[in-house]
Amino acid sequence: MKKIFSNTVAIFVIIVVLLLIIPLNPFALDMMFIISITISLIILLTTMYISETLEFSIFPSLLLITTLFRLALNVSSTRLILTKQGEAGQVIKTFGSFVLQGNVVVGVIIFLIIVLVQFIVITKGAERVAEVAARFTLDAMPGKQMAIDADLSSGLITEEQARERRHKIEKEADFYGAMDGATKIVKGDAIMAIVITLINFVAGTIIGIVQSNMPFSEVLQVYSIATIGDGLVSQIPALLISTATGMIVTRSVSESNLNQDVTKQFLSQPRVLVISGVIIGLLVFIPGAPPVQPIILAVILISLGIRLISAEKKQNVEDEIVNQEYEQEEFDEDSYFKDVNNIYSLLNVEPIEMEFGYSLIPLVDENSGGSLINRIVIFRRQFAQEMGFVVPSVRLRDSAVLNTNEYVIKIKGEEISSGEILVDYYLALEPPNPTGEIDGIDTIEPAYGIPSKWITSDKKDLAEIYGYTVIDPLSVMLTHLSETIKRNVHELLTRAEVMQLIENTKKISPELVEEAIPNIISYGNFQKVLFNLLKEGVPIKDLVTILESLIDSSAATNDVDVMIENVRMALKRTITRKFCENGQLRVLTLDTELEKTILSSLTRNEQGVYLAMSPDVMQSIIGQLKEQLPKFTELSQAPIILTSNVIRLYFYRMIEQFYPNLYVLSFGEIANNIQIQAVGNIVV
């Protein structure tokens, strides 16, 4: 039985094709017409109850099948009309008699009106909407892909979610492209309805007069009923399918189906209903106007409006009571801090804080539909999987000191960065070469410093067509928070967190931990190793390899800096995976003479080795870096300098204060199968 159902569509299509050839008796034709109307009605109702067009992605194929089905039935009905003197079944006869009502002219006019309404109004409009939707969907694909890549790189979504979004974009493009062609089928179907009706009427009249020797009045009566009935039976399902086509191509993204959307939005302004009812009621004072109908409609509208207004007031009162109860529950601060012990709670410093103005509360408050907390949870999980470090909980609080659209990010109680968000706008990141200009409020993207514009929602699609990457306000704020945490994550590595990481590693390799800590390396020095790795963006997830490298290094040196460099080389696969793309690494290199100069400038004292370089040489290096770094912006890649193993650490410490976001790698930290491409060279 399951196999039969799985092949139902294929069998149905074969039957439809055969109907073009095999004649049907009137009873079978009646059954087929009823099936055609039923299928069309189901399709129309389905388009009204879906919330997204992709929920009914088979619609273009269904449209082709149902159109072919109706044409096959038209061929069968034409065969019966012309061979059986208009006897083409009870359905055709009933529709023809009901519409004609004994008047052929009226029946023909009504039929033509129905066909023209479908052809000129519904089909023509649906065709134009489908064409525009297909073009805009295809043009917006690059911008949507860039937005997905931006969310993925900032940790807002997982790789699987990004793959699902890309697949959805591809399906949307395919769907609207198919709909653009499918609407041409609907248009052709409407034209064929008129052609077949004319053929039936003209050919039937000729056959009735010439072959059957029927009087002209009888011929007109018989074949007009059959022709009009056949046309209506075909056009009713065609009209339903055309309406469904217009419904699905004009359907915008919503949270529910069409019925719920119309009910919710149409009744969202009850005062409009009352005003409309009053205006309709005034129509009775127009001389000659019917008095009963306007009064009935006015009473219904005014009653419904008043009832909705009362319900709205009741809801507002309930909300006010809840707010008052909440305010009463708040403690009295003066009484609370009279106890000296309670003041100690003010001394606690949160690892990460985010304060925001009043207008940004809806983005954070879950009761208002905000999803910032959930997205922070997702970011923490992804960061832990990637870097091996669990970001502490982020304390969120509103602030009356900040501007309404402003937010501040703090690390250990001190402000690190801030930004401003326009809640009802979108942020459009300006591409290097936009294909067009778009109006908006000029600003700078807070996380990466990219020139951007705040644009209204109605300009979102146009901005994507022009090549802008459009981001919603919540994603802007979360991206800024995540990038701030990534740049300062080493400051969040406390001794307690190091102890927790060690205890977690004990579950995997207890003997290794027991050998290494604290016998080989102390907790403090181990924290220093992890601190420096995180500071330079190196994941610390593989603690087993880190500990093994520290044990091996301890036999030759006690210098923590040297140990860190050995650990980095032991983590070459991890570093390669993080910084290389498609087996290629684009870097700036140092000239051989410059490396010799740096090496000769290394000086040792009681505190360790440091770089004592001439200010002129240092100034030259900083100036050349300023000229070379824009190349990485064009490559959409973090700037990387590749040096020899000996000077890597000291060169990094020299330029860190000038370019904190620049990565310095050594040749020993790159896997052998990686192709290194130098985009510039720093000389003496």
Side-chain angles (χ1 to χ4, degrees), residues 599-613:
L599 188 60
S600 62
S601 301
L602 295 179
T603 305
R604 178 179 294 275
N605 60 10
E606 295 178 356
Q607 284 74 34
V609 179
Y610 67 94
L611 185 60
M613 183 176 288

Side-chain angles (χ1 to χ4, degrees), residues 643-675:
T643 71
S644 61
N645 301 345
V646 180
I647 68 168
R648 190 211 69 83
L649 175 62
Y650 310 105
F651 185 78
Y652 168 74
R653 288 177 178 174
M654 180 186 74
I655 65 170
E656 174 194 5
Q657 55 183 323
F658 302 102
Y659 300 105
N661 297 324
L662 192 152
Y663 296 98
V664 180
L665 306 181
S666 69
F667 288 98
E669 299 168 2
I670 307 301
N672 298 329
N673 59 341
I674 298 301
Q675 180 183 358

Side-chain angles (χ1 to χ4, degrees), residues 151-165:
D151 287 348
L152 179 63
S153 62
S154 62
L156 303 181
I157 58 175
T158 62
E159 184 67 35
E160 183 178 355
Q161 290 172 324
R163 195 179 301 110
E164 290 176 357
R165 289 190 184 182

Side-chain angles (χ1 to χ4, degrees), residues 423-463:
V423 178
D424 297 328
Y425 288 71
Y426 285 88
L427 186 68
L429 305 184
E430 188 173 317
N433 297 302
T435 57
E437 290 294 329
I438 190 166
D439 294 332
I441 303 172
D442 292 329
T443 185
I444 298 295
E445 195 275 334
Y448 303 105
I450 303 173
S452 311
K453 291 183 179 181
W454 287 108
I455 60 173
T456 53
S457 57
D458 59 319
K459 298 175 183 175
K460 179 175 178 290
D461 292 337
L462 183 61

Side-chain angles (χ1 to χ4, degrees), residues 171-424:
K171 288 184 66 178
E172 284 181 349
D174 294 339
F175 175 80
Y176 284 109
M179 283 302 302
D180 186 24
T183 51
K184 306 298 189 298
I185 298 174
V186 179
K187 181 180 179 181
D189 183 34
I191 296 174
M192 280 304 301
I194 300 176
V195 174
I196 292 174
T197 302
L198 290 175
I199 291 174
N200 286 342
F201 187 75
V202 175
T205 302
I206 295 173
I207 291 173
I209 294 174
V210 176
Q211 295 183 2
S212 302
N213 296 321
M214 297 170 58
F216 181 75
S217 59
E218 185 179 351
V219 170
L220 192 63
Q221 180 68 21
V222 170
Y223 285 100
S224 63
I225 291 176
T227 301
I228 299 300
D230 180 39
L232 287 173
V233 171
S234 299
Q235 283 308 298
I236 286 177
L239 183 63
L240 295 176
I241 293 295
S242 298
T243 305
T245 303
M247 193 77 69
I248 201 166
V249 296
T250 56
R251 199 80 172 90
S252 59
V253 179
S254 59
E255 298 178 355
S256 55
N257 59 56
L258 180 63
N259 301 279
Q260 295 174 345
D261 286 343
V262 170
T263 303
K264 180 180 178 181
Q265 297 179 24
F266 205 75
L267 302 180
S268 62
Q269 301 295 333
R271 291 167 183 79
V272 173
L273 300 179
V274 175
I275 295 172
S276 301
V278 172
I279 294 174
I280 293 297
L282 294 176
L283 294 179
V284 299
F285 296 102
I286 299 177
V292 179
Q293 295 89 333
I295 291 177
I296 294 175
L297 186 58
V299 170
I300 293 174
L301 290 176
I302 294 173
S303 302
L304 180 60
I306 292 174
R307 183 175 180 181
L308 291 174
I309 291 174
S310 300
E312 184 179 338
K313 289 182 178 179
K314 183 179 179 181
Q315 183 64 39
N316 291 337
V317 171
E318 292 177 356
D319 293 341
E320 187 176 349
I321 292 174
V322 171
N323 292 334
Q324 290 176 354
E325 292 176 353
Y326 176 78
E327 291 174 359
Q328 290 174 359
E329 291 177 358
E330 292 185 348
F331 62 89
D332 185 358
E333 290 188 359
D334 293 337
S335 301
Y336 179 78
F337 288 117
K338 284 182 180 179
D339 186 352
V340 176
N341 294 323
N342 292 332
I343 299 179
Y344 280 96
S345 63
L346 300 176
L347 304 182
N348 297 330
V349 176
E350 297 290 341
I352 310 173
E353 289 180 88
M354 192 170 187
E355 299 180 355
F356 41 84
Y358 177 77
S359 296
L360 305 184
I361 292 178
L363 297 178
V364 181
D365 187 11
E366 293 181 333
N367 297 326
S368 302
S371 58
L372 179 63
I373 296 176
N374 291 334
R375 294 178 69 170
I376 290 176
V377 171
I378 294 173
F379 163 72
R380 292 177 65 203
R381 185 184 70 230
Q382 292 176 340
F383 190 82
Q385 291 174 339
E386 179 184 354
M387 297 296 294
F389 177 75
V390 179
V391 176
S393 299
V394 181
R395 177 68 180 270
L396 303 175
R397 64 179 74 183
D398 57 343
S399 173
V401 179
L402 298 176
N403 294 330
T404 56
N405 296 323
E406 189 180 4
Y407 65 89
V408 168
I409 302 172
K410 296 182 178 181
I411 302 292
K412 294 186 176 180
E414 298 299 330
E415 179 180 334
I416 299 297
S417 56
S418 62
E420 234 179 300
I421 294 292
L422 301 184
V423 178
D424 297 328

Side-chain angles (χ1 to χ4, degrees), residues 443-503:
T443 185
I444 298 295
E445 195 275 334
Y448 303 105
I450 303 173
S452 311
K453 291 183 179 181
W454 287 108
I455 60 173
T456 53
S457 57
D458 59 319
K459 298 175 183 175
K460 179 175 178 290
D461 292 337
L462 183 61
E464 291 176 342
I465 293 173
Y466 287 161
Y468 289 80
T469 300
V470 182
I471 308 175
D472 62 275
L474 180 60
S475 297
V476 174
M477 189 162 62
L478 184 60
T479 301
H480 192 190
L481 174 64
S482 61
E483 289 301 316
T484 302
I485 291 175
K486 289 177 182 179
R487 286 194 290 265
N488 300 276
V489 65
H490 54 284
E491 298 183 24
L492 303 172
L493 183 69
T494 61
R495 187 65 58 85
E497 182 63 28
V498 173
M499 298 287 290
Q500 181 65 38
L501 292 173
I502 293 172
E503 291 299 320

